[in-house]
């Protein structure tokens, strides 16, 4: 029998005896005769602290065994590596059959890109009725002559230096000294100059003169008779000074100092063309201004000077890069075509016959 009771938040426990205990005789009787023992036990009995544990000797034994195993593995790996190296250096060299590859030299390309070709012009330099070429190679500071051979190929190029750091950009072909032999003008962007090479007539040239452009860097050049004296003159578009320049020819391969015309702030003229736009029998100039997105016309007169005519927009962001002149609608008036780099369009301006032009008509290049 068991009986519990609470006394002042303590637990009273009475001694108990099992009535079915075979080792206790008259258990019931003894229970009634024995005094009742009550022990008051506090509820908050603290558990005894666990005794400290010590490392088992088997752990240390296993740790030592692991270190021994690692050392043995490292020793084995080193032995294998030493063995492989020894065999590699002591074994006889095997004979490797060489491949019988034969390299065949191929002809060089007519215009090698490593020379930096910037522009090309065509003319018969050796009077054999076959077109020849001259190329401006800006990387190697030279022009190269390619003589046509029966209309099917070109000769190995003949290089003519244009000067250290000259960076030739554009070439043009014409007869500067009226001897019926073609000559060459080259715009040297790097040295602010125009180089003149006079033709001998057999496909070879001699450098005649280098014309200073002052502080202007020529990036474009054309040839035309601007003052009606039957002698070719030179016209350049200049980077940096926002201008174009004219060098009048003397008929002996020499030229005047440049006469310049401003094209406007940040205009960055990129190319020039000539045409009689107002039908007065004097050549005029038309300029593509890449920076300001327009074409600019300068009207010529009998004295060989020019006056500002008009400026026509090619649209914002169009960046006109190249310009040319032709009669597109066969009305005997010179019209204008311009390549608009920024808008990927070709712009056409039809001439009204009096120096004015109609609205730009564009054609997409996409």
């Amino acid at each position: 029998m068991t009986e519990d009771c609470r006394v002042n938040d303590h637990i009273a426990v009475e001694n108990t005896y099992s009535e079915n205990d075979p080792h206790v005789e008259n258990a019931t009787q003894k229970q009634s005769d024995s005094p009742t023992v009550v022990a008051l036990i506090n509820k908050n009995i603290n558990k005894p602290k666990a005794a400290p544990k010590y490392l088992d000797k088997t752990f240390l034994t296993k740790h030592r065994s692991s270190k021994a195993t690692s050392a043995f593995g490292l020793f084995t790996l080193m032995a294998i590596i030493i063995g492989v190296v020894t065999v590699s250096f002591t074994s006889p060299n095997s004979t490797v059959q060489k491949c019988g590859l034969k390299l065949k030299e191929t002809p060089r390309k007519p215009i090698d890109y490593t020379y930096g070709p910037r522009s090309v012009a065509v003319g018969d330099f050796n009077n054999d009725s076959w077109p020849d070429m001259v190329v401006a190679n800006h990387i190697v500071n030279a022009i190269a002559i390619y003589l046509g051979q029966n209309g099917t190929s070109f000769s190995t190029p003949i290089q003519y230096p244009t000067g250290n750091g000259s960076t030739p950009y554009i070439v043009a072909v014409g007869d500067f000294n009226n001897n019926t032999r073609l000559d060459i003008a080259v715009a040297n962007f790097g040295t602010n100059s125009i180089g003149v090479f006079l033709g001998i007539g057999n496909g070879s040239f001699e450098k005649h003169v280098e014309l200073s452009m002052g502080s202007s860097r020529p990036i474009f050049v054309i040839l035309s008779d601007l003052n009606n004296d039957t002698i070719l003159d030179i016209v350049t578009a200049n980077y940096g000074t926002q201008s174009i320049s004219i060098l009048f020819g003397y008929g002996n391969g020499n030229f005047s100092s440049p006469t310049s015309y401003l094209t406007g702030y940040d205009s960055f003229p990129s190319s020039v063309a000539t045409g009689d736009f107002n039908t007065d029998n004097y050549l005029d100039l038309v300029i593509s201004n890449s920076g300001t997105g327009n074409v600019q016309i300068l009207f010529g007169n009998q004295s060989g000077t020019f006056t500002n005519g008009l400026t026509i927009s090619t649209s914002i962001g169009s960046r006109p890069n190249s310009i040319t002149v032709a009669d597109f609608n066969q009305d005997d008036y010179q019209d204008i075509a311009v390549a608009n780099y920024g808008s990927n369009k070709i712009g056409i301006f039809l001439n009204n016959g009096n120096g004015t032009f109609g609205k730009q008509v564009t054609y997409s290049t996409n």
Side-chain angles (χ1 to χ4, degrees), residues 1-4 12-18 27 30-32 34-41:
M1 296 177 61
T2 302
E3 183 178 356
D4 295 341
V13 179
E14 185 178 6
N15 285 347
T16 60
Y17 299 92
S18 174
K30 289 182 179 181
Q31 179 181 0
S32 60
S34 301
T36 302
V37 180
V38 177
L40 296 179
I41 305 172

Side-chain angles (χ1 to χ4, degrees), residues 1 4 36 62 70 73 77 87 121 128 137 143 184 187 213 221 232 234 263 268 303 309 327 336 346 351 357 361:
M1 296 177 61
D4 295 341
T36 302
K62 292 179 180 179
S70 299
L77 178 61
V87 171
D128 64 354
N137 291 321
I143 60 172
I184 298 171
M213 297 296 296
V221 61
L232 286 178
I234 297 175
T263 53
F268 293 102
S303 64
D327 181 8
I336 298 171
I346 303 298
N351 192 344
F357 291 81
V361 178

Side-chain angles (χ1 to χ4, degrees), residues 141-161:
N141 299 314
I143 60 172
I145 305 298
Y146 297 80
L147 298 178
Q149 297 176 336
N150 300 323
T152 58
S153 61
F154 289 88
S155 66
T156 301
I158 304 170
Q159 303 282 344
Y160 291 90

Side-chain angles (χ1 to χ4, degrees), residues 3 64 90 103 106 114 169 214 236 304 311 342:
E3 183 178 356
R64 294 191 187 100
T90 57
L103 300 178
T106 57
T114 58
Y169 261 35
T236 66
T311 299

Side-chain angles (χ1 to χ4, degrees), residues 112-128:
D112 196 331
Y113 70 91
T114 58
Y115 282 66
R118 291 280 308 193
S119 71
V120 60
V122 175
D124 183 6
F125 301 139
N126 56 358
N127 295 313
D128 64 354

Side-chain angles (χ1 to χ4, degrees), residues 20 32 50 59 77 87-88 90 103 106 120 133 140 165 188 218 220 235 244 249 259 261 270 296 328 348 350:
N20 299 321
S32 60
F59 172 80
L77 178 61
V87 171
S88 299
T90 57
L103 300 178
T106 57
V120 60
M133 297 187 300
V140 295
N188 295 320
F220 190 84
V235 185
I244 61 140
T259 300
Y261 295 87
S270 54
Q296 183 177 358
F328 295 121
I348 303 295
L350 296 180

Side-chain angles (χ1 to χ4, degrees), residues 234-310:
I234 297 175
V235 185
T236 66
N238 305 318
Y239 176 85
T241 55
Q242 320 299 336
S243 66
I244 61 140
S245 296
I246 300 172
L247 297 86
F248 292 100
Y250 295 144
N252 58 359
N254 295 321
F255 293 82
S256 69
S257 298
T259 300
S260 297
Y261 295 87
L262 297 178
T263 53
Y265 178 75
D266 275 351
S267 55
F268 293 102
S270 54
S271 65
V272 188
T274 61
D276 183 8
F277 302 126
N278 54 0
T279 63
D280 63 354
N281 296 321
Y282 297 109
L283 284 180
D284 310 311
L285 299 174
V286 59
I287 307 154
S288 61
N289 290 322
S290 177
T292 48
N294 57 51
V295 295
Q296 183 177 358
I297 296 175
L298 303 180
F299 291 120
N301 53 51
Q302 60 183 1
S303 64
T305 59
F306 293 83
T307 58
N308 282 324
L310 67 158

Side-chain angles (χ1 to χ4, degrees), residues 293-295 312-323 336-341 343-351 357-363:
N294 57 51
V295 295
I312 310 172
S313 174
T314 55
S315 76
I316 297 175
S318 57
R319 296 176 61 186
N321 190 60
S322 181
I323 199 165
I336 298 171
V338 59
N340 294 316
Y341 175 82
S343 60
N344 294 321
K345 294 179 180 179
I346 303 298
I348 303 295
F349 296 91
L350 296 180
N351 192 344
F357 291 81
K359 185 178 179 181
Q360 177 182 219
V361 178
T362 60
Y363 298 88

